[in-house]
Amino acid sequence: MSKEVLIKSKKRVQKHGEVFTPSWMVEKMLDIDEIKRCCKNLTATFLEPSAGEGAFLTAILKRKLYMVSDLYSQNINQFENFSLYALSTLYGIELLDDNVQMCVMNLYQEYYESYFNVTQKFNVKLKQKVLDSAKCIIKSNIRQGNFLTKLTANEHLIVFSEWKILNKLIPNTKNIIVSRTEYTLLDIYHKKENLPGTLINKRSQLINTQQSLFDEEAHDITYEKYAYISTKITDVYKEEIERYE
């Protein structure tokens, strides 16, 4: 059995304090009663402010997908919808770009393997649109940036997407309809309620770093008038938008 690599280099430890958490410790922490219950809760959300290569998020996803395969897999369509929603509840911020890429890859690999195993059970093929939607969700939820400054390396505000279920979930629900709404990390800090479907244009993400991020006016940003269209969660990869007045 290969030994886990917990340190990439002494330089990275000195510069960024980067030390990875061993898998046994990740599992032990996730076995804390309250966290363990949340891992079995479809709608419970997790935010990892220093995600690294995604050790915690990948382990949480594994537990959530196991729960979905147990409770929401009457047919392949139901598993596809509920597994994508479980994936959409995981968020991460990571300072170092190479770690961000690995985190995205690790989450996608975990999702792919779980999805593949269920398709074997039903003797069906993987659907490309489901995989594309998984990629879209992961890339939207895992962001490069500094949790403390709330900014990316390019001094844009960190932006996340909320994936809100619009239809009522009952035991035999097959399709999940979601509304995608973007929030900056600053919006979340100030508990701001953006309009459903809000799309934050990149040109309006730049912020004067001389201005305090905690000023009341700092998060009052004007967004262009475009919004995401509500859609089936298996179709979010299309990222369809519409203009509004």
Side-chain angles (χ1 to χ4, degrees):
M1 190 176 192
S2 60
K3 188 176 180 181
E4 284 187 270
V5 177
L6 304 180
I7 296 174
K8 288 187 175 180
S9 72
K10 291 183 179 180
K11 184 177 180 180
R12 287 169 71 113
V13 175
Q14 293 170 348
K15 187 174 182 180
H16 304 292
E18 180 189 66
V19 179
F20 296 109
T21 308
S23 57
W24 68 265
M25 187 177 292
V26 171
E27 295 299 330
K28 190 169 184 178
M29 293 175 72
L30 296 184
D31 280 335
I32 296 172
D33 288 344
E34 187 173 351
I35 299 176
K36 191 174 183 177
R37 286 194 295 271
C38 288
C39 289
K40 295 180 180 179
N41 183 335
L42 178 69
T43 60
T45 57
F46 291 82
L47 169 61
E48 172 56 74
S50 183
E53 294 184 347
F56 280 98
L57 293 174
T58 304
I60 293 167
L61 178 60
K62 185 173 184 177
R63 294 185 180 209
K64 281 209 167 199
L65 292 177
Y66 181 82
M67 175 272 297
V68 171
S69 65
D70 186 43
L71 301 179
Y72 304 104
S73 59
Q74 295 179 17
N75 52 62
I76 189 62
N77 194 67
Q78 186 181 55
F79 176 83
E80 290 166 345
N81 279 259
F82 280 79
S83 64
L84 284 174
Y85 186 76
L87 178 63
S88 78
T89 63
L90 306 183
Y91 297 87
I93 300 170
E94 169 55 34
L95 181 64
L96 303 178
D97 189 60
D98 61 333
N99 286 343
V100 174
Q101 293 179 44
M102 282 302 301
C103 182
V104 168
M105 289 175 59
N106 288 335
L107 285 169
Y108 179 73
Q109 185 64 30
E110 187 64 43
Y111 182 83
Y112 183 95
E113 290 178 3
S114 178
Y115 181 28
F116 177 78
N117 289 336
V118 176
T119 60
Q120 297 302 293
K121 172 184 171 183
F122 287 102
N123 195 29
V124 295
K125 294 182 179 180
L126 296 161
K127 294 177 186 172
Q128 190 59 47
K129 73 172 186 177
V130 174
L131 295 175
D132 288 344
S133 290
K135 291 176 185 177
C136 175
I137 290 169
I138 294 170
K139 289 180 180 179
S140 298
N141 287 16
I142 307 302
R143 313 301 295 179
Q144 183 279 328
N146 187 320
F147 178 76
L148 297 178
T149 65
K150 300 176 177 58
L151 299 174
T152 68
N154 296 323
E155 295 190 339
H156 288 107
L157 290 169
I158 295 171
V159 176
F160 285 120
S161 290
E162 176 192 44
W163 312 85
K164 185 176 182 180
I165 298 176
L166 298 182
N167 55 319
K168 185 176 180 180
L169 300 185
I170 55 178
N172 61 348
T173 298
K174 295 180 181 179
N175 296 311
I176 292 179
I177 309 299
V178 292
S179 170
R180 178 181 180 180
T181 303
E182 290 187 340
Y183 288 86
T184 68
L185 188 56
L186 202 57
D187 290 336
I188 297 170
Y189 177 84
H190 286 283
K191 299 181 180 180
K192 183 179 178 183
E193 286 292 331
N194 288 342
L195 292 173
T198 293
L199 188 158
I200 299 174
N201 185 273
K202 288 186 177 180
R203 287 196 298 275
S204 61
Q205 289 181 41
L206 282 171
I207 187 169
N208 181 354
T209 54
Q210 298 301 312
Q211 181 183 30
S212 171
L213 285 170
F214 300 99
D215 286 348
E216 288 300 319
E217 302 298 325
H219 67 294
D220 188 15
I221 300 170
T222 301
Y223 305 139
E224 289 196 4
K225 294 185 177 181
Y226 288 92
Y228 288 107
I229 298 172
S230 299
T231 184
K232 292 180 181 178
I233 198 165
T234 52
D235 289 331
V236 296
Y237 73 95
K238 297 178 181 178
E239 298 190 279
E240 294 179 311
I241 62 174
E242 63 183 356
R243 188 176 179 86
Y244 67 93
E245 296 301 327

